[in-house]
Amino acid sequence: MPPDEPPGAPRPRPRPGRARRAAEPLAWWTALLAVYLALVSTISLTEITLGALTAAAGAAAAVAARRALLITGTTRAAGGADRPAAAGRLLPPLARLPAQIVADTARITLRGASGGDWTALACPPGPAGRGAATLLMSTSPGTYVGGTDPERALLRVHRLTGPSPFERSLRRAGLVGDPARPAGRHRAGPP
């Protein structure tokens, strides 16, 4: 362990090899192309070409989204240094996401999408945290991010109802928060 790191600090994970880094986008591309070809009525050279290009764009987006979700802000280490936050804190919000999508879709189907209000939410500093917060807040049909303020680490969010269970779960995970209190900064140990 280098002398400037506090004892007990997590060691950085080794970077995967070139073949392993290429396997993820290839797996996404293969799966997306297979789904595309399964959905078209007639498989032709045009459909294969279009499917391959569409699958490549989808694979790039999937890899970029996964990487953005892995580093979603910073945590305060014991010595006062900032380090990337653990992605594990996103598991509870992600578990709530399907139910939130169903609830928002049902609400919009039954009542329509009119109304709602704008609010500002704090997000983690840096492009990865801001991107993850934007992606997650815009996934459900009842909310979307209409703008960001990178200098102040704020998202401008439109939501049809008050804070949803999904948003509250993202608050507990530290991915979004009250604008007066920055999101994504957690202290190790008791406050």
Side-chain angles (χ1 to χ4, degrees), residues 51-79:
L53 293 172
T54 304
V63 171
R66 186 199 55 81
R67 289 181 181 161
L69 289 174
L70 278 180
I71 300 176
T72 58
T74 57
T75 57
R76 187 69 49 160

mmCIF file with all atom_site columns, all heavy atoms in Angstrom, residues 51-79:
data_model
loop_
_atom_site.group_PDB
_atom_site.id
_atom_site.type_symbol
_atom_site.label_atom_id
_atom_site.label_alt_id
_atom_site.label_comp_id
_atom_site.label_asym_id
_atom_site.label_entity_id
_atom_site.label_seq_id
_atom_site.pdbx_PDB_ins_code
_atom_site.Cartn_x
_atom_site.Cartn_y
_atom_site.Cartn_z
_atom_site.occupancy
_atom_site.B_iso_or_equiv
_atom_site.pdbx_formal_charge
_atom_site.auth_seq_id
_atom_site.auth_comp_id
_atom_site.auth_asym_id
_atom_site.auth_atom_id
_atom_site.pdbx_PDB_model_num
ATOM 1   N N   . GLY A 1 51 ? -30.020 -3.294 -38.565 1.00 0.00 ? 51 GLY A N   1
ATOM 2   C CA  . GLY A 1 51 ? -29.979 -3.904 -37.234 1.00 0.00 ? 51 GLY A CA  1
ATOM 3   C C   . GLY A 1 51 ? -28.589 -3.852 -36.622 1.00 0.00 ? 51 GLY A C   1
ATOM 4   O O   . GLY A 1 51 ? -28.430 -3.591 -35.425 1.00 0.00 ? 51 GLY A O   1
ATOM 5   N N   . ALA A 1 52 ? -27.568 -4.094 -37.427 1.00 0.00 ? 52 ALA A N   1
ATOM 6   C CA  . ALA A 1 52 ? -26.192 -4.059 -36.923 1.00 0.00 ? 52 ALA A CA  1
ATOM 7   C C   . ALA A 1 52 ? -25.805 -2.653 -36.485 1.00 0.00 ? 52 ALA A C   1
ATOM 8   O O   . ALA A 1 52 ? -25.176 -2.472 -35.432 1.00 0.00 ? 52 ALA A O   1
ATOM 9   C CB  . ALA A 1 52 ? -25.226 -4.564 -38.002 1.00 0.00 ? 52 ALA A CB  1
ATOM 10  N N   . LEU A 1 53 ? -26.191 -1.647 -37.269 1.00 0.00 ? 53 LEU A N   1
ATOM 11  C CA  . LEU A 1 53 ? -25.887 -0.258 -36.901 1.00 0.00 ? 53 LEU A CA  1
ATOM 12  C C   . LEU A 1 53 ? -26.658 0.177  -35.655 1.00 0.00 ? 53 LEU A C   1
ATOM 13  O O   . LEU A 1 53 ? -26.110 0.824  -34.758 1.00 0.00 ? 53 LEU A O   1
ATOM 14  C CB  . LEU A 1 53 ? -26.188 0.678  -38.070 1.00 0.00 ? 53 LEU A CB  1
ATOM 15  C CG  . LEU A 1 53 ? -25.276 0.513  -39.291 1.00 0.00 ? 53 LEU A CG  1
ATOM 16  C CD1 . LEU A 1 53 ? -25.787 1.362  -40.452 1.00 0.00 ? 53 LEU A CD1 1
ATOM 17  C CD2 . LEU A 1 53 ? -23.848 0.864  -38.944 1.00 0.00 ? 53 LEU A CD2 1
ATOM 18  N N   . THR A 1 54 ? -27.931 -0.191 -35.593 1.00 0.00 ? 54 THR A N   1
ATOM 19  C CA  . THR A 1 54 ? -28.751 0.144  -34.432 1.00 0.00 ? 54 THR A CA  1
ATOM 20  C C   . THR A 1 54 ? -28.223 -0.557 -33.187 1.00 0.00 ? 54 THR A C   1
ATOM 21  O O   . THR A 1 54 ? -28.146 0.026  -32.104 1.00 0.00 ? 54 THR A O   1
ATOM 22  C CB  . THR A 1 54 ? -30.218 -0.242 -34.692 1.00 0.00 ? 54 THR A CB  1
ATOM 23  O OG1 . THR A 1 54 ? -30.649 0.403  -35.873 1.00 0.00 ? 54 THR A OG1 1
ATOM 24  C CG2 . THR A 1 54 ? -31.106 0.143  -33.535 1.00 0.00 ? 54 THR A CG2 1
ATOM 25  N N   . ALA A 1 55 ? -27.846 -1.823 -33.321 1.00 0.00 ? 55 ALA A N   1
ATOM 26  C CA  . ALA A 1 55 ? -27.307 -2.579 -32.193 1.00 0.00 ? 55 ALA A CA  1
ATOM 27  C C   . ALA A 1 55 ? -25.980 -1.989 -31.727 1.00 0.00 ? 55 ALA A C   1
ATOM 28  O O   . ALA A 1 55 ? -25.693 -1.967 -30.522 1.00 0.00 ? 55 ALA A O   1
ATOM 29  C CB  . ALA A 1 55 ? -27.134 -4.047 -32.581 1.00 0.00 ? 55 ALA A CB  1
ATOM 30  N N   . ALA A 1 56 ? -25.173 -1.485 -32.656 1.00 0.00 ? 56 ALA A N   1
ATOM 31  C CA  . ALA A 1 56 ? -23.900 -0.862 -32.265 1.00 0.00 ? 56 ALA A CA  1
ATOM 32  C C   . ALA A 1 56 ? -24.141 0.397  -31.443 1.00 0.00 ? 56 ALA A C   1
ATOM 33  O O   . ALA A 1 56 ? -23.470 0.622  -30.423 1.00 0.00 ? 56 ALA A O   1
ATOM 34  C CB  . ALA A 1 56 ? -23.070 -0.538 -33.510 1.00 0.00 ? 56 ALA A CB  1
ATOM 35  N N   . ALA A 1 57 ? -25.114 1.201  -31.858 1.00 0.00 ? 57 ALA A N   1
ATOM 36  C CA  . ALA A 1 57 ? -25.441 2.405  -31.088 1.00 0.00 ? 57 ALA A CA  1
ATOM 37  C C   . ALA A 1 57 ? -25.984 2.026  -29.717 1.00 0.00 ? 57 ALA A C   1
ATOM 38  O O   . ALA A 1 57 ? -25.615 2.629  -28.696 1.00 0.00 ? 57 ALA A O   1
ATOM 39  C CB  . ALA A 1 57 ? -26.456 3.254  -31.847 1.00 0.00 ? 57 ALA A CB  1
ATOM 40  N N   . GLY A 1 58 ? -26.848 1.026  -29.663 1.00 0.00 ? 58 GLY A N   1
ATOM 41  C CA  . GLY A 1 58 ? -27.391 0.576  -28.381 1.00 0.00 ? 58 GLY A CA  1
ATOM 42  C C   . GLY A 1 58 ? -26.323 -0.007 -27.477 1.00 0.00 ? 58 GLY A C   1
ATOM 43  O O   . GLY A 1 58 ? -26.332 0.216  -26.261 1.00 0.00 ? 58 GLY A O   1
ATOM 44  N N   . ALA A 1 59 ? -25.382 -0.754 -28.051 1.00 0.00 ? 59 ALA A N   1
ATOM 45  C CA  . ALA A 1 59 ? -24.295 -1.334 -27.257 1.00 0.00 ? 59 ALA A CA  1
ATOM 46  C C   . ALA A 1 59 ? -23.399 -0.241 -26.678 1.00 0.00 ? 59 ALA A C   1
ATOM 47  O O   . ALA A 1 59 ? -23.006 -0.297 -25.516 1.00 0.00 ? 59 ALA A O   1
ATOM 48  C CB  . ALA A 1 59 ? -23.474 -2.295 -28.121 1.00 0.00 ? 59 ALA A CB  1
ATOM 49  N N   . ALA A 1 60 ? -23.110 0.776  -27.483 1.00 0.00 ? 60 ALA A N   1
ATOM 50  C CA  . ALA A 1 60 ? -22.287 1.886  -26.983 1.00 0.00 ? 60 ALA A CA  1
ATOM 51  C C   . ALA A 1 60 ? -22.996 2.603  -25.843 1.00 0.00 ? 60 ALA A C   1
ATOM 52  O O   . ALA A 1 60 ? -22.386 2.942  -24.822 1.00 0.00 ? 60 ALA A O   1
ATOM 53  C CB  . ALA A 1 60 ? -21.979 2.860  -28.122 1.00 0.00 ? 60 ALA A CB  1
ATOM 54  N N   . ALA A 1 61 ? -24.307 2.823  -25.996 1.00 0.00 ? 61 ALA A N   1
ATOM 55  C CA  . ALA A 1 61 ? -25.070 3.489  -24.929 1.00 0.00 ? 61 ALA A CA  1
ATOM 56  C C   . ALA A 1 61 ? -25.121 2.626  -23.670 1.00 0.00 ? 61 ALA A C   1
ATOM 57  O O   . ALA A 1 61 ? -25.004 3.148  -22.551 1.00 0.00 ? 61 ALA A O   1
ATOM 58  C CB  . ALA A 1 61 ? -26.480 3.802  -25.419 1.00 0.00 ? 61 ALA A CB  1
ATOM 59  N N   . ALA A 1 62 ? -25.289 1.330  -23.819 1.00 0.00 ? 62 ALA A N   1
ATOM 60  C CA  . ALA A 1 62 ? -25.357 0.441  -22.655 1.00 0.00 ? 62 ALA A CA  1
ATOM 61  C C   . ALA A 1 62 ? -24.031 0.419  -21.897 1.00 0.00 ? 62 ALA A C   1
ATOM 62  O O   . ALA A 1 62 ? -24.010 0.476  -20.661 1.00 0.00 ? 62 ALA A O   1
ATOM 63  C CB  . ALA A 1 62 ? -25.734 -0.972 -23.099 1.00 0.00 ? 62 ALA A CB  1
ATOM 64  N N   . VAL A 1 63 ? -22.928 0.344  -22.614 1.00 0.00 ? 63 VAL A N   1
ATOM 65  C CA  . VAL A 1 63 ? -21.615 0.341  -21.962 1.00 0.00 ? 63 VAL A CA  1
ATOM 66  C C   . VAL A 1 63 ? -21.354 1.677  -21.277 1.00 0.00 ? 63 VAL A C   1
ATOM 67  O O   . VAL A 1 63 ? -20.889 1.723  -20.129 1.00 0.00 ? 63 VAL A O   1
ATOM 68  C CB  . VAL A 1 63 ? -20.502 0.010  -22.987 1.00 0.00 ? 63 VAL A CB  1
ATOM 69  C CG1 . VAL A 1 63 ? -19.122 0.223  -22.392 1.00 0.00 ? 63 VAL A CG1 1
ATOM 70  C CG2 . VAL A 1 63 ? -20.643 -1.423 -23.478 1.00 0.00 ? 63 VAL A CG2 1
ATOM 71  N N   . ALA A 1 64 ? -21.676 2.767  -21.948 1.00 0.00 ? 64 ALA A N   1
ATOM 72  C CA  . ALA A 1 64 ? -21.472 4.089  -21.352 1.00 0.00 ? 64 ALA A CA  1
ATOM 73  C C   . ALA A 1 64 ? -22.336 4.265  -20.101 1.00 0.00 ? 64 ALA A C   1
ATOM 74  O O   . ALA A 1 64 ? -21.875 4.803  -19.088 1.00 0.00 ? 64 ALA A O   1
ATOM 75  C CB  . ALA A 1 64 ? -21.775 5.180  -22.365 1.00 0.00 ? 64 ALA A CB  1
ATOM 76  N N   . ALA A 1 65 ? -23.584 3.811  -20.151 1.00 0.00 ? 65 ALA A N   1
ATOM 77  C CA  . ALA A 1 65 ? -24.469 3.939  -18.985 1.00 0.00 ? 65 ALA A CA  1
ATOM 78  C C   . ALA A 1 65 ? -23.961 3.103  -17.824 1.00 0.00 ? 65 ALA A C   1
ATOM 79  O O   . ALA A 1 65 ? -23.956 3.554  -16.675 1.00 0.00 ? 65 ALA A O   1
ATOM 80  C CB  . ALA A 1 65 ? -25.880 3.514  -19.361 1.00 0.00 ? 65 ALA A CB  1
ATOM 81  N N   . ARG A 1 66 ? -23.521 1.885  -18.090 1.00 0.00 ? 66 ARG A N   1
ATOM 82  C CA  . ARG A 1 66 ? -23.007 1.044  -17.009 1.00 0.00 ? 66 ARG A CA  1
ATOM 83  C C   . ARG A 1 66 ? -21.762 1.667  -16.384 1.00 0.00 ? 66 ARG A C   1
ATOM 84  O O   . ARG A 1 66 ? -21.618 1.706  -15.167 1.00 0.00 ? 66 ARG A O   1
ATOM 85  C CB  . ARG A 1 66 ? -22.681 -0.367 -17.498 1.00 0.00 ? 66 ARG A CB  1
ATOM 86  C CG  . ARG A 1 66 ? -22.282 -1.277 -16.322 1.00 0.00 ? 66 ARG A CG  1
ATOM 87  C CD  . ARG A 1 66 ? -21.535 -2.514 -16.750 1.00 0.00 ? 66 ARG A CD  1
ATOM 88  N NE  . ARG A 1 66 ? -20.360 -2.280 -17.549 1.00 0.00 ? 66 ARG A NE  1
ATOM 89  C CZ  . ARG A 1 66 ? -19.167 -1.931 -17.066 1.00 0.00 ? 66 ARG A CZ  1
ATOM 90  N NH1 . ARG A 1 66 ? -18.994 -1.716 -15.796 1.00 0.00 ? 66 ARG A NH1 1
ATOM 91  N NH2 . ARG A 1 66 ? -18.141 -1.776 -17.872 1.00 0.00 ? 66 ARG A NH2 1
ATOM 92  N N   . ARG A 1 67 ? -20.893 2.202  -17.193 1.00 0.00 ? 67 ARG A N   1
ATOM 93  C CA  . ARG A 1 67 ? -19.685 2.827  -16.649 1.00 0.00 ? 67 ARG A CA  1
ATOM 94  C C   . ARG A 1 67 ? -20.019 4.076  -15.853 1.00 0.00 ? 67 ARG A C   1
ATOM 95  O O   . ARG A 1 67 ? -19.403 4.350  -14.826 1.00 0.00 ? 67 ARG A O   1
ATOM 96  C CB  . ARG A 1 67 ? -18.698 3.142  -17.769 1.00 0.00 ? 67 ARG A CB  1
ATOM 97  C CG  . ARG A 1 67 ? -18.085 1.883  -18.326 1.00 0.00 ? 67 ARG A CG  1
ATOM 98  C CD  . ARG A 1 67 ? -17.095 2.143  -19.415 1.00 0.00 ? 67 ARG A CD  1
ATOM 99  N NE  . ARG A 1 67 ? -16.585 0.880  -19.913 1.00 0.00 ? 67 ARG A NE  1
ATOM 100 C CZ  . ARG A 1 67 ? -15.990 0.730  -21.067 1.00 0.00 ? 67 ARG A CZ  1
ATOM 101 N NH1 . ARG A 1 67 ? -15.809 1.773  -21.855 1.00 0.00 ? 67 ARG A NH1 1
ATOM 102 N NH2 . ARG A 1 67 ? -15.565 -0.452 -21.455 1.00 0.00 ? 67 ARG A NH2 1
ATOM 103 N N   . ALA A 1 68 ? -20.998 4.853  -16.307 1.00 0.00 ? 68 ALA A N   1
ATOM 104 C CA  . ALA A 1 68 ? -21.404 6.048  -15.561 1.00 0.00 ? 68 ALA A CA  1
ATOM 105 C C   . ALA A 1 68 ? -22.021 5.669  -14.231 1.00 0.00 ? 68 ALA A C   1
ATOM 106 O O   . ALA A 1 68 ? -21.823 6.353  -13.231 1.00 0.00 ? 68 ALA A O   1
ATOM 107 C CB  . ALA A 1 68 ? -22.391 6.873  -16.375 1.00 0.00 ? 68 ALA A CB  1
ATOM 108 N N   . LEU A 1 69 ? -22.740 4.558  -14.194 1.00 0.00 ? 69 LEU A N   1
ATOM 109 C CA  . LEU A 1 69 ? -23.370 4.136  -12.946 1.00 0.00 ? 69 LEU A CA  1
ATOM 110 C C   . LEU A 1 69 ? -22.370 3.557  -11.964 1.00 0.00 ? 69 LEU A C   1
ATOM 111 O O   . LEU A 1 69 ? -22.643 3.499  -10.775 1.00 0.00 ? 69 LEU A O   1
ATOM 112 C CB  . LEU A 1 69 ? -24.479 3.123  -13.226 1.00 0.00 ? 69 LEU A CB  1
ATOM 113 C CG  . LEU A 1 69 ? -25.713 3.702  -13.890 1.00 0.00 ? 69 LEU A CG  1
ATOM 114 C CD1 . LEU A 1 69 ? -26.682 2.592  -14.256 1.00 0.00 ? 69 LEU A CD1 1
ATOM 115 C CD2 . LEU A 1 69 ? -26.386 4.712  -12.997 1.00 0.00 ? 69 LEU A CD2 1
ATOM 116 N N   . LEU A 1 70 ? -21.215 3.121  -12.433 1.00 0.00 ? 70 LEU A N   1
ATOM 117 C CA  . LEU A 1 70 ? -20.219 2.568  -11.515 1.00 0.00 ? 70 LEU A CA  1
ATOM 118 C C   . LEU A 1 70 ? -19.559 3.638  -10.667 1.00 0.00 ? 70 LEU A C   1
ATOM 119 O O   . LEU A 1 70 ? -19.210 3.405  -9.526  1.00 0.00 ? 70 LEU A O   1
ATOM 120 C CB  . LEU A 1 70 ? -19.139 1.798  -12.279 1.00 0.00 ? 70 LEU A CB  1
ATOM 121 C CG  . LEU A 1 70 ? -19.511 0.379  -12.656 1.00 0.00 ? 70 LEU A CG  1
ATOM 122 C CD1 . LEU A 1 70 ? -18.366 -0.275 -13.398 1.00 0.00 ? 70 LEU A CD1 1
ATOM 123 C CD2 . LEU A 1 70 ? -19.896 -0.435 -11.445 1.00 0.00 ? 70 LEU A CD2 1
ATOM 124 N N   . ILE A 1 71 ? -19.368 4.817  -11.227 1.00 0.00 ? 71 ILE A N   1
ATOM 125 C CA  . ILE A 1 71 ? -18.760 5.912  -10.462 1.00 0.00 ? 71 ILE A CA  1
ATOM 126 C C   . ILE A 1 71 ? -19.790 7.017  -10.407 1.00 0.00 ? 71 ILE A C   1
ATOM 127 O O   . ILE A 1 71 ? -19.985 7.737  -11.362 1.00 0.00 ? 71 ILE A O   1
ATOM 128 C CB  . ILE A 1 71 ? -17.460 6.407  -11.120 1.00 0.00 ? 71 ILE A CB  1
ATOM 129 C CG1 . ILE A 1 71 ? -16.463 5.280  -11.207 1.00 0.00 ? 71 ILE A CG1 1
ATOM 130 C CG2 . ILE A 1 71 ? -16.895 7.579  -10.340 1.00 0.00 ? 71 ILE A CG2 1
ATOM 131 C CD1 . ILE A 1 71 ? -15.191 5.640  -11.922 1.00 0.00 ? 71 ILE A CD1 1
ATOM 132 N N   . THR A 1 72 ? -20.463 7.127  -9.268  1.00 0.00 ? 72 THR A N   1
ATOM 133 C CA  . THR A 1 72 ? -21.581 8.064  -9.162  1.00 0.00 ? 72 THR A CA  1
ATOM 134 C C   . THR A 1 72 ? -21.339 9.094  -8.085  1.00 0.00 ? 72 THR A C   1
ATOM 135 O O   . THR A 1 72 ? -22.189 9.383  -7.284  1.00 0.00 ? 72 THR A O   1
ATOM 136 C CB  . THR A 1 72 ? -22.872 7.305  -8.854  1.00 0.00 ? 72 THR A CB  1
ATOM 137 O OG1 . THR A 1 72 ? -22.677 6.589  -7.640  1.00 0.00 ? 72 THR A OG1 1
ATOM 138 C CG2 . THR A 1 72 ? -23.244 6.373  -9.957  1.00 0.00 ? 72 THR A CG2 1
ATOM 139 N N   . GLY A 1 73 ? -20.188 9.638  -8.028  1.00 0.00 ? 73 GLY A N   1
ATOM 140 C CA  . GLY A 1 73 ? -19.908 10.654 -7.019  1.00 0.00 ? 73 GLY A CA  1
ATOM 141 C C   . GLY A 1 73 ? -18.688 10.273 -6.220  1.00 0.00 ? 73 GLY A C   1
ATOM 142 O O   . GLY A 1 73 ? -17.876 9.460  -6.632  1.00 0.00 ? 73 GLY A O   1
ATOM 143 N N   . THR A 1 74 ? -18.567 10.885 -5.064  1.00 0.00 ? 74 THR A N   1
ATOM 144 C CA  . THR A 1 74 ? -17.423 10.617 -4.220  1.00 0.00 ? 74 THR A CA  1
ATOM 145 C C   . THR A 1 74 ? -17.884 10.377 -2.800  1.00 0.00 ? 74 THR A C   1
ATOM 146 O O   . THR A 1 74 ? -18.963 10.777 -2.398  1.00 0.00 ? 74 THR A O   1
ATOM 147 C CB  . THR A 1 74 ? -16.440 11.805 -4.221  1.00 0.00 ? 74 THR A CB  1
ATOM 148 O OG1 . THR A 1 74 ? -17.152 12.966 -3.791  1.00 0.00 ? 74 THR A OG1 1
ATOM 149 C CG2 . THR A 1 74 ? -15.851 12.044 -5.595  1.00 0.00 ? 74 THR A CG2 1
ATOM 150 N N   . THR A 1 75 ? -17.062 9.673  -2.057  1.00 0.00 ? 75 THR A N   1
ATOM 151 C CA  . THR A 1 75 ? -17.298 9.503  -0.636  1.00 0.00 ? 75 THR A CA  1
ATOM 152 C C   . THR A 1 75 ? -16.089 10.060 0.095   1.00 0.00 ? 75 THR A C   1
ATOM 153 O O   . THR A 1 75 ? -14.992 10.134 -0.446  1.00 0.00 ? 75 THR A O   1
ATOM 154 C CB  . THR A 1 75 ? -17.488 8.022  -0.252  1.00 0.00 ? 75 THR A CB  1
ATOM 155 O OG1 . THR A 1 75 ? -16.340 7.296  -0.655  1.00 0.00 ? 75 THR A OG1 1
ATOM 156 C CG2 . THR A 1 75 ? -18.724 7.444  -0.895  1.00 0.00 ? 75 THR A CG2 1
ATOM 157 N N   . ARG A 1 76 ? -16.290 10.439 1.311   1.00 0.00 ? 76 ARG A N   1
ATOM 158 C CA  . ARG A 1 76 ? -15.207 11.002 2.112   1.00 0.00 ? 76 ARG A CA  1
ATOM 159 C C   . ARG A 1 76 ? -14.522 9.852  2.839   1.00 0.00 ? 76 ARG A C   1
ATOM 160 O O   . ARG A 1 76 ? -15.137 9.164  3.629   1.00 0.00 ? 76 ARG A O   1
ATOM 161 C CB  . ARG A 1 76 ? -15.797 12.014 3.094   1.00 0.00 ? 76 ARG A CB  1
ATOM 162 C CG  . ARG A 1 76 ? -14.822 12.809 3.889   1.00 0.00 ? 76 ARG A CG  1
ATOM 163 C CD  . ARG A 1 76 ? -14.019 13.794 3.113   1.00 0.00 ? 76 ARG A CD  1
ATOM 164 N NE  . ARG A 1 76 ? -14.818 14.638 2.250   1.00 0.00 ? 76 ARG A NE  1
ATOM 165 C CZ  . ARG A 1 76 ? -14.400 15.779 1.775   1.00 0.00 ? 76 ARG A CZ  1
ATOM 166 N NH1 . ARG A 1 76 ? -13.225 16.239 2.077   1.00 0.00 ? 76 ARG A NH1 1
ATOM 167 N NH2 . ARG A 1 76 ? -15.139 16.475 0.967   1.00 0.00 ? 76 ARG A NH2 1
ATOM 168 N N   . ALA A 1 77 ? -13.257 9.626  2.535   1.00 0.00 ? 77 ALA A N   1
ATOM 169 C CA  . ALA A 1 77 ? -12.493 8.559  3.180   1.00 0.00 ? 77 ALA A CA  1
ATOM 170 C C   . ALA A 1 77 ? -12.051 9.016  4.568   1.00 0.00 ? 77 ALA A C   1
ATOM 171 O O   . ALA A 1 77 ? -12.179 10.185 4.935   1.00 0.00 ? 77 ALA A O   1
ATOM 172 C CB  . ALA A 1 77 ? -11.284 8.194  2.317   1.00 0.00 ? 77 ALA A CB  1
ATOM 173 N N   . ALA A 1 78 ? -11.523 8.078  5.336   1.00 0.00 ? 78 ALA A N   1
ATOM 174 C CA  . ALA A 1 78 ? -11.141 8.357  6.717   1.00 0.00 ? 78 ALA A CA  1
ATOM 175 C C   . ALA A 1 78 ? -10.142 9.503  6.814   1.00 0.00 ? 78 ALA A C   1
ATOM 176 O O   . ALA A 1 78 ? -10.209 10.313 7.717   1.00 0.00 ? 78 ALA A O   1
ATOM 177 C CB  . ALA A 1 78 ? -10.571 7.098  7.362   1.00 0.00 ? 78 ALA A CB  1
ATOM 178 N N   . GLY A 1 79 ? -9.214  9.613  5.900   1.00 0.00 ? 79 GLY A N   1
ATOM 179 C CA  . GLY A 1 79 ? -8.209  10.653 5.950   1.00 0.00 ? 79 GLY A CA  1
ATOM 180 C C   . GLY A 1 79 ? -8.667  11.982 5.382   1.00 0.00 ? 79 GLY A C   1
ATOM 181 O O   . GLY A 1 79 ? -7.886  12.916 5.276   1.00 0.00 ? 79 GLY A O   1
#
